[in-house]
Amino acid sequence: MNADDINQPPITPQQYEVLHGGGAEAAEITRQRLSRRHFLRRSMLAVWGLSATAAVAGALDMLYPNLAGQFGAVLNVGKKSKMPAAIPTKFKLGQAGVFYFQNAKTYMIHMAKDTHFLLSGTNLTDQLVSETVLKDSDGSYWIAVYQRCVHLGCTVPFRDDCDSFKCPCHGSHYNVDGEYLDGPAPRSLDRFIFTFSGEDVMVNTGVLNQKVPHPETGTRLIAVPGVPCSAA
Ligand code: FES
């Protein structure tokens, strides 16, 4: 007995007789049984096909989750005009030079075109590129700084009182442009890649520059702030 036989209802003694006696009735009964067998096979194949498709779709979803609008995707953090530039000593969180976007976990830094850099010429140009600083058409400078402390991952607040970022966990201290100042952090703050789309600032929160080392004479962009941070 094969699997098909198990799934078929038993035939009546009358049908058995007809089948073994030949004739039109026998042909009809045989045709009906073959049709049922084909139907069952096709149904099983269809179910198997649907299951396989669902499994592949699930695997693709895990490998390539839809991050649209979420951290990890390209996020529009707002209009340039809502983020006025300032020179570093005049930064004020949310008002001038430094703006926080929680959904992007990003500080947008906007330095005025008359910002004083410690470098000049090609040294300045090269350092701006390596620190992912974008020069805008109006001469101002932009950076998208990731909020995460590169020591052990605490969120680093910007401190208006000392023109810098100071980590509350172990004291790592970073300049207004995210460059390392002091503390246990192994490098400067990381920066996201970003672009402008017309007036909109688009931050790619899936792509980081994590290679900005401690600055030295010859690589530091901005002077160390003159005001120490007060005790938090
Ligand atoms: S996590 Fe920021 S200093 Fe340790």
Side-chain angles (χ1 to χ4, degrees):
M1 182 181 286
N2 60 37
D4 288 334
D5 294 331
I6 292 172
N7 295 322
Q8 290 177 6
I11 59 175
T12 63
Q14 290 78 6
Q15 287 175 321
Y16 181 87
E17 289 301 323
V18 172
L19 274 172
H20 289 79
E25 296 96 328
E28 177 57 20
I29 290 170
T30 302
R31 188 188 68 73
Q32 286 179 11
R33 297 191 67 169
L34 283 173
S35 297
R36 188 160 50 233
R37 203 174 293 168
H38 287 157
F39 173 76
L40 286 171
R41 280 193 185 136
R42 283 183 186 165
S43 299
M44 286 172 70
L45 278 173
V47 169
W48 180 85
L50 284 172
S51 302
T53 303
V56 170
L60 285 175
D61 198 43
M62 285 178 68
L63 284 172
Y64 305 103
N66 181 6
L67 294 173
Q70 299 174 37
F71 184 71
V74 176
L75 299 178
N76 183 342
V77 297
K79 304 280 183 203
K80 288 184 191 179
S81 57
K82 299 287 184 191
M83 299 173 233
I87 58 171
T89 52
K90 300 290 185 194
F91 273 25
K92 202 162 183 53
L93 184 61
Q95 297 177 33
V98 54
F99 303 87
Y100 179 59
F101 299 95
Q102 191 172 28
N103 63 331
K105 304 183 181 184
T106 298
Y107 289 97
M108 284 310 305
I109 306 300
H110 191 190
M111 296 184 286
K113 66 179 178 185
D114 53 349
T115 293
H116 176 68
F117 290 107
L118 298 175
L119 307 177
S120 59
T122 48
N123 284 347
L124 174 60
T125 306
D126 293 348
Q127 197 59 33
L128 292 176
V129 171
S130 70
E131 296 200 25
T132 319
V133 182
L134 228 61
K135 188 172 184 180
D136 206 347
S137 54
D138 65 358
S140 63
Y141 300 86
W142 295 82
I143 317 173
V145 172
Y146 186 20
Q147 69 177 17
R148 186 177 183 276
C149 182
V150 295
H151 179 224
L152 292 176
C154 292
T155 296
V156 186
F158 182 79
R159 298 273 300 268
D160 285 339
D161 64 313
C162 50
D163 299 328
S164 52
F165 295 92
K166 180 89 170 170
C167 182
C169 295
H170 315 100
S172 287
H173 192 196
Y174 310 89
N175 210 342
V176 288
D177 58 349
E179 287 182 324
Y180 171 87
L181 291 169
D182 53 75
R187 62 180 184 274
S188 298
L189 285 173
D190 297 332
R191 298 100 198 284
F192 290 115
I193 307 301
F194 66 102
T195 55
F196 301 128
S197 174
E199 274 299 295
D200 294 319
V201 180
M202 312 296 293
V203 178
N204 188 343
T205 58
V207 183
L208 271 177
N209 174 0
Q210 299 175 294
K211 294 182 177 168
V212 182
H214 288 177
E216 301 168 355
T217 308
T219 61
R220 186 183 292 282
L221 284 173
I222 302 289
V224 173
V227 187
C229 296
S230 58

